[in-house]
Amino acid sequence: MGLRKITIGVDWDDVLCDLNTRAIELANRDFGLDLKLSDITSWENTGKASVIKKYYADMELYERQYVTEEGKAFMSKLQKEGEVFIITAVQPEFMGIRVSQIKKAFPDFPNENIIMGSQKHLVHFDITLDDANHNIFKSNSAFPVLFRKPWNQDATGVLSVNGYDDFLQLVYQIKRSMVESVHSLKHPAMIALVGPSGSGKHQMMEQLLSYTEFAHPISYTTNPNNLKRHRYITSEEFSDAEFLEKTMYGGYGYGTLKKDVTDLLEQEISVVMPLDICGAITLKRQYPTLMVYCKQSKDKLIENILMKNCDLKEKKLRLLALEQERKHESLCDITVREGEVGKILEVFRSTKY
């Protein structure tokens, strides 16, 4: 990609401008319901949330949409990082109001950078941000990024963010990976071990923990079958907790409490954590962090996943995510293979004050 200006495609509905929230408002008004956004657990809007489908063809829904001040500030920052396009799937009869809303929210946004149509996979950007699983998995963009919502929590292994700040940090990381062959580090206090399921992240962590300068905070999960390295909490507790980073993997939530990490750092103990790429980038946004990609052959990755003590659905999701996760190597600071913990220590200690 070189040094040219990167291109960034941003979805409109439920990324820049709430759609389902407004549809829920109308459904609750008209039917006396108490629907919440968390009730929309799939793109098909099945179950009790299926009632909102009727409003997708209602002009009032589109008239209710608006961009928040946070969304406007986000776009202003994003446009400084590259050439931004708004790409939106909207029915032809609502295209006029969609353009009017875009221009009202972003008066100086170039008309030629507004793209309408449902075949988003036919358009290539360097980075794409979208809330729909199918758009991410079919995307031809170099870095498709999923905007986490209740209806896409089962998506595993893809680049994903929980908010605008996380996406901006991811853009910075991607841009840096395009132009730098070696990443410069300043005073890392954390080591984030990144890699696909079965890459040996946890084994690498155990080796690092044999050195007294490192510790690993407790991590929590909603997966009752993965309690060897994690502590179980309910989905409700997971939603309410103040996590430093959290992610969805195989349909389950995983996260680390901010207080647990802060307590260790205040004792001048460096923290090592196995994470997916999104968790690592979130961490790097808040603390000086060395991102380490743990590399393993594809055959070995598949073998390790098949040997894992988890159900068939989770194994399937992990296997499907392999190719996406292997692409994340370029976003990390260094790459190591099995047995190369010394390489991590050398880089970490040479840059840590």
Side-chain angles (χ1 to χ4, degrees), residues 260-299:
D260 292 341
V261 173
T262 302
D263 287 347
L264 289 171
L265 294 177
E266 287 179 349
Q267 298 173 54
E268 299 186 355
I269 298 174
S270 296
V271 174
V272 55
M273 296 169 61
L275 298 165
D276 70 358
I277 188 66
C278 304
I281 288 170
T282 299
L283 200 67
K284 200 174 185 98
R285 181 164 62 86
Q286 301 178 64
Y287 299 97
T289 301
L290 177 67
M291 290 172 56
V292 179
Y293 184 82
C294 300
K295 195 163 188 174
Q296 187 63 268
S297 70
K298 186 175 181 180
D299 287 348

mmCIF file of all heavy atoms in Angstrom, residues 260-299:
data_model
loop_
_atom_site.group_PDB
_atom_site.id
_atom_site.type_symbol
_atom_site.label_atom_id
_atom_site.label_comp_id
_atom_site.label_asym_id
_atom_site.label_seq_id
_atom_site.Cartn_x
_atom_site.Cartn_y
_atom_site.Cartn_z
ATOM 1 N N ASP A 260 -7.638 -4.998 38.064
ATOM 2 C CA ASP A 260 -6.646 -6.060 38.252
ATOM 3 C C ASP A 260 -5.321 -5.720 37.576
ATOM 4 O O ASP A 260 -4.243 -6.002 38.112
ATOM 5 C CB ASP A 260 -7.186 -7.378 37.702
ATOM 6 C CG ASP A 260 -8.360 -7.907 38.521
ATOM 7 O OD1 ASP A 260 -8.518 -7.469 39.672
ATOM 8 O OD2 ASP A 260 -9.123 -8.744 38.004
ATOM 9 N N VAL A 261 -5.409 -5.104 36.386
ATOM 10 C CA VAL A 261 -4.191 -4.712 35.671
ATOM 11 C C VAL A 261 -3.523 -3.534 36.376
ATOM 12 O O VAL A 261 -2.302 -3.519 36.581
ATOM 13 C CB VAL A 261 -4.519 -4.354 34.206
ATOM 14 C CG1 VAL A 261 -3.289 -3.774 33.505
ATOM 15 C CG2 VAL A 261 -5.036 -5.581 33.466
ATOM 16 N N THR A 262 -4.307 -2.553 36.758
ATOM 17 C CA THR A 262 -3.765 -1.369 37.421
ATOM 18 C C THR A 262 -3.047 -1.726 38.717
ATOM 19 O O THR A 262 -1.973 -1.184 39.022
ATOM 20 C CB THR A 262 -4.890 -0.365 37.715
ATOM 21 O OG1 THR A 262 -5.546 -0.018 36.495
ATOM 22 C CG2 THR A 262 -4.342 0.904 38.349
ATOM 23 N N ASP A 263 -3.619 -2.652 39.474
ATOM 24 C CA ASP A 263 -3.002 -3.065 40.741
ATOM 25 C C ASP A 263 -1.604 -3.633 40.514
ATOM 26 O O ASP A 263 -0.670 -3.353 41.282
ATOM 27 C CB ASP A 263 -3.875 -4.100 41.446
ATOM 28 C CG ASP A 263 -5.137 -3.493 42.045
ATOM 29 O OD1 ASP A 263 -5.210 -2.251 42.130
ATOM 30 O OD2 ASP A 263 -6.038 -4.264 42.419
ATOM 31 N N LEU A 264 -1.439 -4.431 39.464
ATOM 32 C CA LEU A 264 -0.130 -5.017 39.171
ATOM 33 C C LEU A 264 0.872 -3.954 38.727
ATOM 34 O O LEU A 264 2.028 -3.931 39.173
ATOM 35 C CB LEU A 264 -0.267 -6.087 38.086
ATOM 36 C CG LEU A 264 -0.971 -7.379 38.507
ATOM 37 C CD1 LEU A 264 -1.230 -8.258 37.292
ATOM 38 C CD2 LEU A 264 -0.144 -8.131 39.541
ATOM 39 N N LEU A 265 0.433 -3.048 37.866
ATOM 40 C CA LEU A 265 1.333 -2.010 37.367
ATOM 41 C C LEU A 265 1.778 -1.078 38.494
ATOM 42 O O LEU A 265 2.929 -0.616 38.512
ATOM 43 C CB LEU A 265 0.653 -1.211 36.256
ATOM 44 C CG LEU A 265 0.346 -1.982 34.967
ATOM 45 C CD1 LEU A 265 -0.402 -1.083 33.988
ATOM 46 C CD2 LEU A 265 1.613 -2.515 34.334
ATOM 47 N N GLU A 266 0.895 -0.820 39.433
ATOM 48 C CA GLU A 266 1.253 0.048 40.559
ATOM 49 C C GLU A 266 2.305 -0.599 41.458
ATOM 50 O O GLU A 266 3.027 0.082 42.185
ATOM 51 C CB GLU A 266 0.003 0.394 41.368
ATOM 52 C CG GLU A 266 -0.908 1.381 40.648
ATOM 53 C CD GLU A 266 -2.164 1.697 41.432
ATOM 54 O OE1 GLU A 266 -2.425 0.989 42.443
ATOM 55 O OE2 GLU A 266 -2.892 2.636 41.050
ATOM 56 N N GLN A 267 2.401 -1.934 41.385
ATOM 57 C CA GLN A 267 3.451 -2.652 42.113
ATOM 58 C C GLN A 267 4.720 -2.794 41.275
ATOM 59 O O GLN A 267 5.652 -3.497 41.672
ATOM 60 C CB GLN A 267 2.938 -4.039 42.500
ATOM 61 C CG GLN A 267 1.732 -4.039 43.417
ATOM 62 C CD GLN A 267 1.174 -5.445 43.616
ATOM 63 O OE1 GLN A 267 1.891 -6.362 43.994
ATOM 64 N NE2 GLN A 267 -0.116 -5.610 43.349
ATOM 65 N N GLU A 268 4.757 -2.093 40.119
ATOM 66 C CA GLU A 268 5.879 -2.131 39.189
ATOM 67 C C GLU A 268 6.136 -3.541 38.671
ATOM 68 O O GLU A 268 7.272 -3.951 38.443
ATOM 69 C CB GLU A 268 7.136 -1.538 39.830
ATOM 70 C CG GLU A 268 6.969 -0.066 40.223
ATOM 71 C CD GLU A 268 8.265 0.570 40.729
ATOM 72 O OE1 GLU A 268 9.271 -0.158 40.862
ATOM 73 O OE2 GLU A 268 8.248 1.781 40.962
ATOM 74 N N ILE A 269 5.060 -4.276 38.469
ATOM 75 C CA ILE A 269 5.119 -5.606 37.864
ATOM 76 C C ILE A 269 4.585 -5.497 36.437
ATOM 77 O O ILE A 269 3.509 -4.942 36.214
ATOM 78 C CB ILE A 269 4.269 -6.608 38.663
ATOM 79 C CG1 ILE A 269 4.804 -6.742 40.086
ATOM 80 C CG2 ILE A 269 4.247 -7.969 37.968
ATOM 81 C CD1 ILE A 269 3.929 -7.600 40.984
ATOM 82 N N SER A 270 5.338 -5.997 35.490
ATOM 83 C CA SER A 270 4.890 -5.969 34.098
ATOM 84 C C SER A 270 3.837 -7.048 33.873
ATOM 85 O O SER A 270 3.873 -8.117 34.480
ATOM 86 C CB SER A 270 6.075 -6.186 33.154
ATOM 87 O OG SER A 270 6.997 -5.136 33.274
ATOM 88 N N VAL A 271 2.895 -6.760 32.989
ATOM 89 C CA VAL A 271 1.741 -7.628 32.776
ATOM 90 C C VAL A 271 1.865 -8.333 31.433
ATOM 91 O O VAL A 271 2.194 -7.713 30.422
ATOM 92 C CB VAL A 271 0.439 -6.807 32.826
ATOM 93 C CG1 VAL A 271 -0.759 -7.674 32.464
ATOM 94 C CG2 VAL A 271 0.253 -6.200 34.218
ATOM 95 N N VAL A 272 1.606 -9.641 31.428
ATOM 96 C CA VAL A 272 1.600 -10.407 30.180
ATOM 97 C C VAL A 272 0.219 -11.028 30.009
ATOM 98 O O VAL A 272 -0.345 -11.595 30.942
ATOM 99 C CB VAL A 272 2.707 -11.483 30.167
ATOM 100 C CG1 VAL A 272 2.599 -12.403 31.377
ATOM 101 C CG2 VAL A 272 2.661 -12.291 28.884
ATOM 102 N N MET A 273 -0.337 -10.870 28.800
ATOM 103 C CA MET A 273 -1.703 -11.335 28.552
ATOM 104 C C MET A 273 -1.830 -11.916 27.152
ATOM 105 O O MET A 273 -1.408 -11.285 26.183
ATOM 106 C CB MET A 273 -2.697 -10.167 28.689
ATOM 107 C CG MET A 273 -2.777 -9.568 30.081
ATOM 108 S SD MET A 273 -3.715 -8.008 30.125
ATOM 109 C CE MET A 273 -5.319 -8.562 29.559
ATOM 110 N N PRO A 274 -2.403 -13.140 27.015
ATOM 111 C CA PRO A 274 -2.753 -13.651 25.687
ATOM 112 C C PRO A 274 -4.075 -13.038 25.246
ATOM 113 O O PRO A 274 -5.049 -13.070 25.994
ATOM 114 C CB PRO A 274 -2.882 -15.165 25.922
ATOM 115 C CG PRO A 274 -3.222 -15.294 27.362
ATOM 116 C CD PRO A 274 -2.666 -14.103 28.087
ATOM 117 N N LEU A 275 -4.103 -12.447 24.048
ATOM 118 C CA LEU A 275 -5.271 -11.697 23.600
ATOM 119 C C LEU A 275 -5.507 -11.916 22.112
ATOM 120 O O LEU A 275 -4.599 -12.340 21.379
ATOM 121 C CB LEU A 275 -5.064 -10.190 23.830
ATOM 122 C CG LEU A 275 -4.874 -9.713 25.272
ATOM 123 C CD1 LEU A 275 -4.318 -8.300 25.277
ATOM 124 C CD2 LEU A 275 -6.185 -9.767 26.020
ATOM 125 N N ASP A 276 -6.710 -11.607 21.641
ATOM 126 C CA ASP A 276 -6.882 -11.494 20.205
ATOM 127 C C ASP A 276 -6.374 -10.117 19.785
ATOM 128 O O ASP A 276 -6.026 -9.276 20.613
ATOM 129 C CB ASP A 276 -8.337 -11.738 19.786
ATOM 130 C CG ASP A 276 -9.286 -10.627 20.196
ATOM 131 O OD1 ASP A 276 -8.856 -9.655 20.838
ATOM 132 O OD2 ASP A 276 -10.489 -10.735 19.880
ATOM 133 N N ILE A 277 -6.310 -9.876 18.498
ATOM 134 C CA ILE A 277 -5.691 -8.646 17.988
ATOM 135 C C ILE A 277 -6.434 -7.407 18.475
ATOM 136 O O ILE A 277 -5.827 -6.375 18.776
ATOM 137 C CB ILE A 277 -5.610 -8.659 16.442
ATOM 138 C CG1 ILE A 277 -4.786 -7.476 15.913
ATOM 139 C CG2 ILE A 277 -6.998 -8.686 15.818
ATOM 140 C CD1 ILE A 277 -3.324 -7.542 16.283
ATOM 141 N N CYS A 278 -7.746 -7.510 18.614
ATOM 142 C CA CYS A 278 -8.524 -6.345 19.030
ATOM 143 C C CYS A 278 -8.260 -6.004 20.488
ATOM 144 O O CYS A 278 -8.140 -4.837 20.861
ATOM 145 C CB CYS A 278 -10.003 -6.593 18.794
ATOM 146 S SG CYS A 278 -10.357 -7.024 17.087
ATOM 147 N N GLY A 279 -8.162 -7.034 21.334
ATOM 148 C CA GLY A 279 -7.834 -6.796 22.730
ATOM 149 C C GLY A 279 -6.459 -6.183 22.881
ATOM 150 O O GLY A 279 -6.240 -5.291 23.705
ATOM 151 N N ALA A 280 -5.508 -6.639 22.062
ATOM 152 C CA ALA A 280 -4.152 -6.107 22.121
ATOM 153 C C ALA A 280 -4.114 -4.642 21.710
ATOM 154 O O ALA A 280 -3.411 -3.823 22.314
ATOM 155 C CB ALA A 280 -3.229 -6.930 21.220
ATOM 156 N N ILE A 281 -4.864 -4.298 20.680
ATOM 157 C CA ILE A 281 -4.891 -2.913 20.213
ATOM 158 C C ILE A 281 -5.571 -2.017 21.239
ATOM 159 O O ILE A 281 -5.137 -0.882 21.480
ATOM 160 C CB ILE A 281 -5.580 -2.837 18.839
ATOM 161 C CG1 ILE A 281 -4.651 -3.435 17.777
ATOM 162 C CG2 ILE A 281 -5.940 -1.401 18.470
ATOM 163 C CD1 ILE A 281 -5.300 -3.642 16.433
ATOM 164 N N THR A 282 -6.634 -2.511 21.876
ATOM 165 C CA THR A 282 -7.275 -1.759 22.949
ATOM 166 C C THR A 282 -6.292 -1.506 24.083
ATOM 167 O O THR A 282 -6.222 -0.411 24.650
ATOM 168 C CB THR A 282 -8.502 -2.524 23.477
ATOM 169 O OG1 THR A 282 -9.451 -2.679 22.419
ATOM 170 C CG2 THR A 282 -9.149 -1.783 24.630
ATOM 171 N N LEU A 283 -5.522 -2.533 24.413
ATOM 172 C CA LEU A 283 -4.511 -2.409 25.465
ATOM 173 C C LEU A 283 -3.470 -1.356 25.098
ATOM 174 O O LEU A 283 -3.093 -0.507 25.908
ATOM 175 C CB LEU A 283 -3.833 -3.763 25.671
ATOM 176 C CG LEU A 283 -3.109 -3.987 26.993
ATOM 177 C CD1 LEU A 283 -4.104 -4.032 28.142
ATOM 178 C CD2 LEU A 283 -2.319 -5.290 26.936
ATOM 179 N N LYS A 284 -3.020 -1.396 23.849
ATOM 180 C CA LYS A 284 -1.976 -0.480 23.389
ATOM 181 C C LYS A 284 -2.456 0.963 23.395
ATOM 182 O O LYS A 284 -1.666 1.897 23.529
ATOM 183 C CB LYS A 284 -1.497 -0.878 21.993
ATOM 184 C CG LYS A 284 -0.132 -0.325 21.617
ATOM 185 C CD LYS A 284 0.331 -0.891 20.283
ATOM 186 C CE LYS A 284 1.735 -0.429 19.975
ATOM 187 N NZ LYS A 284 2.761 -1.415 20.319
ATOM 188 N N ARG A 285 -3.775 1.141 23.254
ATOM 189 C CA ARG A 285 -4.326 2.494 23.282
ATOM 190 C C ARG A 285 -4.212 3.108 24.671
ATOM 191 O O ARG A 285 -4.172 4.329 24.820
ATOM 192 C CB ARG A 285 -5.794 2.455 22.837
ATOM 193 C CG ARG A 285 -6.470 3.813 22.810
ATOM 194 C CD ARG A 285 -7.755 3.769 22.023
ATOM 195 N NE ARG A 285 -8.738 2.868 22.593
ATOM 196 C CZ ARG A 285 -9.605 3.207 23.548
ATOM 197 N NH1 ARG A 285 -9.576 4.429 24.057
ATOM 198 N NH2 ARG A 285 -10.488 2.344 24.001
ATOM 199 N N GLN A 286 -4.128 2.260 25.709
ATOM 200 C CA GLN A 286 -4.149 2.763 27.077
ATOM 201 C C GLN A 286 -2.811 2.652 27.804
ATOM 202 O O GLN A 286 -2.560 3.397 28.747
ATOM 203 C CB GLN A 286 -5.223 2.009 27.874
ATOM 204 C CG GLN A 286 -6.617 2.179 27.256
ATOM 205 C CD GLN A 286 -7.671 1.413 28.008
ATOM 206 O OE1 GLN A 286 -7.940 1.680 29.161
ATOM 207 N NE2 GLN A 286 -8.287 0.444 27.348
ATOM 208 N N TYR A 287 -1.959 1.708 27.383
ATOM 209 C CA TYR A 287 -0.671 1.502 28.042
ATOM 210 C C TYR A 287 0.407 1.241 26.991
ATOM 211 O O TYR A 287 0.107 0.690 25.925
ATOM 212 C CB TYR A 287 -0.725 0.291 28.982
ATOM 213 C CG TYR A 287 -1.725 0.394 30.095
ATOM 214 C CD1 TYR A 287 -2.981 -0.193 29.976
ATOM 215 C CD2 TYR A 287 -1.432 1.071 31.276
ATOM 216 C CE1 TYR A 287 -3.915 -0.117 31.002
ATOM 217 C CE2 TYR A 287 -2.354 1.161 32.309
ATOM 218 C CZ TYR A 287 -3.592 0.566 32.162
ATOM 219 O OH TYR A 287 -4.514 0.645 33.171
ATOM 220 N N PRO A 288 1.665 1.590 27.299
ATOM 221 C CA PRO A 288 2.755 1.156 26.412
ATOM 222 C C PRO A 288 2.778 -0.376 26.369
ATOM 223 O O PRO A 288 2.862 -1.024 27.406
ATOM 224 C CB PRO A 288 4.008 1.707 27.096
ATOM 225 C CG PRO A 288 3.513 2.815 27.967
ATOM 226 C CD PRO A 288 2.147 2.386 28.433
ATOM 227 N N THR A 289 2.659 -0.934 25.180
ATOM 228 C CA THR A 289 2.466 -2.378 25.042
ATOM 229 C C THR A 289 3.309 -2.940 23.909
ATOM 230 O O THR A 289 3.368 -2.362 22.820
ATOM 231 C CB THR A 289 0.981 -2.696 24.764
ATOM 232 O OG1 THR A 289 0.183 -2.193 25.833
ATOM 233 C CG2 THR A 289 0.746 -4.183 24.617
ATOM 234 N N LEU A 290 3.951 -4.065 24.177
ATOM 235 C CA LEU A 290 4.654 -4.814 23.140
ATOM 236 C C LEU A 290 3.697 -5.882 22.616
ATOM 237 O O LEU A 290 3.289 -6.783 23.351
ATOM 238 C CB LEU A 290 5.915 -5.471 23.712
ATOM 239 C CG LEU A 290 6.711 -6.356 22.749
ATOM 240 C CD1 LEU A 290 7.320 -5.509 21.635
ATOM 241 C CD2 LEU A 290 7.795 -7.128 23.487
ATOM 242 N N MET A 291 3.318 -5.778 21.348
ATOM 243 C CA MET A 291 2.418 -6.746 20.731
ATOM 244 C C MET A 291 3.246 -7.829 20.053
ATOM 245 O O MET A 291 4.007 -7.555 19.129
ATOM 246 C CB MET A 291 1.489 -6.052 19.736
ATOM 247 C CG MET A 291 0.451 -5.167 20.409
ATOM 248 S SD MET A 291 -0.515 -4.142 19.254
ATOM 249 C CE MET A 291 -1.184 -5.379 18.141
ATOM 250 N N VAL A 292 3.082 -9.050 20.514
ATOM 251 C CA VAL A 292 3.874 -10.189 20.044
ATOM 252 C C VAL A 292 2.968 -11.168 19.302
ATOM 253 O O VAL A 292 1.988 -11.662 19.869
ATOM 254 C CB VAL A 292 4.556 -10.913 21.225
ATOM 255 C CG1 VAL A 292 5.368 -12.114 20.718
ATOM 256 C CG2 VAL A 292 5.432 -9.954 22.014
ATOM 257 N N TYR A 293 3.293 -11.458 18.044
ATOM 258 C CA TYR A 293 2.520 -12.433 17.272
ATOM 259 C C TYR A 293 3.153 -13.804 17.434
ATOM 260 O O TYR A 293 4.341 -14.002 17.136
ATOM 261 C CB TYR A 293 2.466 -12.059 15.791
ATOM 262 C CG TYR A 293 1.601 -12.997 14.978
ATOM 263 C CD1 TYR A 293 0.224 -12.827 14.946
ATOM 264 C CD2 TYR A 293 2.158 -14.055 14.265
ATOM 265 C CE1 TYR A 293 -0.588 -13.695 14.220
ATOM 266 C CE2 TYR A 293 1.355 -14.917 13.535
ATOM 267 C CZ TYR A 293 -0.013 -14.738 13.520
ATOM 268 O OH TYR A 293 -0.811 -15.598 12.800
ATOM 269 N N CYS A 294 2.377 -14.772 17.929
ATOM 270 C CA CYS A 294 2.858 -16.141 18.121
ATOM 271 C C CYS A 294 2.529 -16.954 16.871
ATOM 272 O O CYS A 294 1.356 -17.225 16.594
ATOM 273 C CB CYS A 294 2.202 -16.761 19.349
ATOM 274 S SG CYS A 294 2.537 -15.860 20.885
ATOM 275 N N LYS A 295 3.564 -17.315 16.133
ATOM 276 C CA LYS A 295 3.382 -17.948 14.827
ATOM 277 C C LYS A 295 3.462 -19.464 14.935
ATOM 278 O O LYS A 295 4.292 -20.007 15.646
ATOM 279 C CB LYS A 295 4.440 -17.438 13.848
ATOM 280 C CG LYS A 295 4.143 -17.753 12.388
ATOM 281 C CD LYS A 295 4.966 -16.883 11.475
ATOM 282 C CE LYS A 295 4.529 -17.042 10.023
ATOM 283 N NZ LYS A 295 5.221 -16.087 9.144
ATOM 284 N N GLN A 296 2.579 -20.127 14.177
ATOM 285 C CA GLN A 296 2.533 -21.575 14.167
ATOM 286 C C GLN A 296 2.083 -22.017 12.782
ATOM 287 O O GLN A 296 1.364 -21.287 12.091
ATOM 288 C CB GLN A 296 1.544 -22.062 15.237
ATOM 289 C CG GLN A 296 1.488 -23.546 15.469
ATOM 290 C CD GLN A 296 2.794 -24.097 15.984
ATOM 291 O OE1 GLN A 296 3.631 -24.527 15.175
ATOM 292 N NE2 GLN A 296 2.983 -24.077 17.299
ATOM 293 N N SER A 297 2.502 -23.184 12.333
ATOM 294 C CA SER A 297 2.087 -23.675 11.018
ATOM 295 C C SER A 297 0.588 -23.935 11.006
ATOM 296 O O SER A 297 -0.017 -24.238 12.050
ATOM 297 C CB SER A 297 2.835 -24.958 10.664
ATOM 298 O OG SER A 297 2.400 -26.033 11.484
ATOM 299 N N LYS A 298 -0.004 -23.843 9.820
ATOM 300 C CA LYS A 298 -1.451 -24.033 9.705
ATOM 301 C C LYS A 298 -1.855 -25.439 10.140
ATOM 302 O O LYS A 298 -2.861 -25.624 10.832
ATOM 303 C CB LYS A 298 -1.912 -23.762 8.280
ATOM 304 C CG LYS A 298 -3.426 -23.805 8.109
ATOM 305 C CD LYS A 298 -3.844 -23.408 6.709
ATOM 306 C CE LYS A 298 -5.364 -23.433 6.575
ATOM 307 N NZ LYS A 298 -5.794 -23.040 5.200
ATOM 308 N N ASP A 299 -1.081 -26.441 9.745
ATOM 309 C CA ASP A 299 -1.395 -27.821 10.120
ATOM 310 C C ASP A 299 -1.405 -27.985 11.640
ATOM 311 O O ASP A 299 -2.289 -28.649 12.204
ATOM 312 C CB ASP A 299 -0.380 -28.782 9.503
ATOM 313 C CG ASP A 299 -0.580 -28.960 8.001
ATOM 314 O OD1 ASP A 299 -1.630 -28.528 7.497
ATOM 315 O OD2 ASP A 299 0.312 -29.530 7.350
#
